[in-house]
Amino acid sequence: MVTAITEGVKISVETMYQEEYSNPSNDQFMFAYRIEIENMSDYTIQLKRRQWFIFDSNGTEREVEGEGVVGLQPIIEPGNHHSYVSGCQLSTEIGSMRGHYFMSRVAVETEFIVDIPQFELIAPYRLN
């Protein structure tokens, strides 16, 4: 698990290789990741947008941007958290992701960026 704190918002990421949804003979490797967003600040915050940078070990890079996460733009009160699970398909058994959440402080309507720490996506059999 990797963790980072930006502007009082803690991001923790855990990854899982999805063998049952992968097809190595066709260069399809599916990974799931679970993210927990913990509001350690004094403000109620809302996640507005996300931006991902996805890297395969063959040098392929992709950028994905969009509103919210898994169809939601969660509002998180101070001391609370929001968790979700999503996935990413790579064309190699090893890769990584990193990114940003674009958040707002609800009461004062100010926007800020929260870093999503880089995390590795590795098929377990490659760890030997």
Side-chain angles (χ1 to χ4, degrees):
M1 181 178 289
V2 295
T3 300
I5 299 173
T6 310
E7 302 261 349
V9 180
K10 181 179 177 182
I11 306 296
S12 301
V13 184
E14 179 181 15
T15 63
M16 293 115 345
Y17 177 61
Q18 303 289 288
E19 183 177 3
E20 63 275 18
Y21 299 109
S22 298
N23 188 343
S25 62
N26 288 335
D27 296 328
Q28 297 172 337
F29 302 89
M30 190 67 193
F31 295 87
Y33 53 89
R34 180 184 178 278
I35 296 192
E36 181 171 303
I37 305 164
E38 183 179 351
N39 184 359
M40 301 168 60
S41 77
D42 296 329
Y43 300 93
T44 298
I45 59 174
Q46 182 173 20
L47 191 157
K48 297 289 198 169
R49 300 184 57 76
R50 72 194 181 294
Q51 180 180 30
W52 286 108
F53 300 98
I54 304 166
F55 305 93
D56 280 294
S57 60
N58 64 5
T60 302
E61 298 179 18
R62 292 180 282 158
E63 182 178 345
V64 177
E65 197 171 347
E67 289 189 7
V69 290
V70 293
L72 301 173
Q73 291 181 314
I75 295 174
I76 310 167
E77 300 287 334
N80 288 339
H81 69 275
H82 176 80
S83 298
Y84 71 94
V85 175
S86 191
C88 176
Q89 182 174 303
L90 299 179
S91 60
T92 61
E93 326 146 284
I94 299 173
S96 65
M97 292 176 67
R98 65 176 173 81
H100 308 285
Y101 292 129
F102 299 87
M103 304 271 203
S104 70
R105 292 181 182 93
V106 175
V108 293
E109 296 183 18
T110 57
E111 295 187 0
F112 63 103
I113 296 173
V114 172
D115 293 326
I116 305 166
Q118 181 165 313
F119 54 94
E120 306 302 317
L121 303 165
I122 303 172
Y125 58 85
R126 288 302 306 245
L127 294 173
N128 294 332

